[in-house]
Amino acid sequence: VDQFVPGGEPVQVDLDRQGVFKPIVTVRTRGGLLYSTEPALSTALAVVPPTVFDPARAVTLSDEVADLAVHEASGDVFALLPAANTVQVVSPDGDLLTTIAIAGASQPRGLFVDDDRNLYIADSGNNRVTKLRANFGYSPDPLIFPSGSFGSTGSGDGEFDNPTDCVVAQVAGEERIFVVDNGNARIQRFNRAGVFEAAWDGTENGGAALLSPRSAALVRPNEIVVTDGPANSVRVFLANGESVAT
């Protein structure tokens, strides 16, 4: 795994030596702690910067992990387990805190946790995104109708074909939800009630078209990083859809 620091050189972490042979998802906390999943072992292994493995912070989970998200203020790690339709929450010390059920989900693939610990889940099998409110016991957000979810199958505005990830960013002081619409090779933007606002496929401002975007991450308040596997590229978009780097 290469840890890329804006404006700096990558630092390489040899995960083979840590017992990770097929890392699927890697996240880095604000404090610099790196978590990388090993599906065969159902674990998220902790690497303290720059390259030292800390076995005391390895997290043992109950099933294979599709995605990881970090709550920055607490350092808690949220792990999405698609086979069980659950999210497991573990502390920075590796203790299991709670397990959250995702009712009615089918092959959930992407997870985002906001500052208030609310969960946003890209539900690939149902072609929708679901928001679970932390202060309602992780029940569906009543602001999003119906049932705390938005989206349906298709290629039109607000429709999805295999949504694989989502992030939340502030646009003009308002919460916006950005969804990686993998099968339609685009990114879609929605307001906090799940109403469609805009979509882009990477060709804006003369950029190359997205081929098969898979994951997204928020790196600055208005900058979203998107991985595009077939293109062997990582794209950086502004919240208005402008592509600013590849």
Side-chain angles (χ1 to χ4, degrees):
V1 172
D2 287 334
Q3 300 184 63
F4 289 93
V5 179
E9 295 296 321
V11 176
Q12 189 172 76
V13 178
D14 187 354
L15 293 177
D16 276 346
R17 296 181 181 179
Q18 326 301 350
V20 180
F21 305 108
K22 294 182 180 180
I24 301 298
V25 182
T26 300
V27 295
R28 189 168 187 255
T29 69
R30 183 170 295 169
L33 191 65
L34 184 76
Y35 286 95
S36 188
T37 65
E38 170 51 76
L41 301 178
S42 293
T43 57
L45 300 181
V47 180
V48 178
T51 60
V52 181
F53 172 57
D54 183 359
R57 298 194 186 186
V59 178
T60 300
L61 302 166
S62 63
D63 212 328
E64 183 173 329
V65 180
D67 203 2
L68 293 172
V70 175
H71 182 249
E72 292 289 355
S74 65
D76 292 344
V77 178
F78 291 68
L80 176 62
L81 282 59
N85 282 339
T86 59
V87 173
Q88 290 190 329
V89 187
V90 295
S91 73
D93 295 322
D95 298 322
L96 179 63
L97 299 178
T98 188
T99 298
I100 303 164
I102 314 168
S106 174
Q107 302 174 13
R109 293 300 174 195
L111 175 69
F112 182 86
V113 57
D114 66 17
D115 292 342
D116 296 322
R117 303 176 72 92
N118 300 316
L119 301 184
Y120 300 78
I121 299 154
D123 187 353
S124 298
N126 288 317
N127 284 317
R128 67 187 183 188
V129 172
T130 297
K131 179 182 178 182
L132 302 179
R133 289 273 297 273
N135 61 350
F136 281 83
Y138 287 105
S139 60
D141 186 350
L143 181 64
I144 300 176
F145 183 83
S147 303
S149 300
F150 62 89
S152 58
T153 303
S155 59
D157 292 346
E159 297 176 337
F160 301 124
D161 179 4
N162 188 34
T164 52
D165 209 355
C166 53
V167 298
V168 177
Q170 297 291 318
V171 178
E174 297 290 336
E175 177 185 284
R176 293 295 184 269
I177 305 167
F178 297 80
V179 182
V180 179
D181 187 5
N182 174 268
N184 289 317
R186 62 185 179 179
I187 309 300
Q188 296 197 65
R189 189 180 81 193
F190 300 80
N191 69 13
R192 64 191 302 260
V195 177
F196 171 83
E197 289 188 338
W200 56 88
D201 61 7
T203 60
E204 298 75 15
N205 303 314
L210 293 167
L211 299 180
S212 183
R214 170 59 179 85
S215 60
L218 189 66
V219 293
R220 291 187 176 89
N222 69 334
E223 288 188 4
I224 300 163
V225 173
V226 178
T227 62
D228 191 2
N232 290 320
S233 67
V234 176
R235 304 282 294 275
V236 182
F237 294 92
L238 297 181
N240 63 4
E242 180 182 354
S243 179
V244 295
T246 302

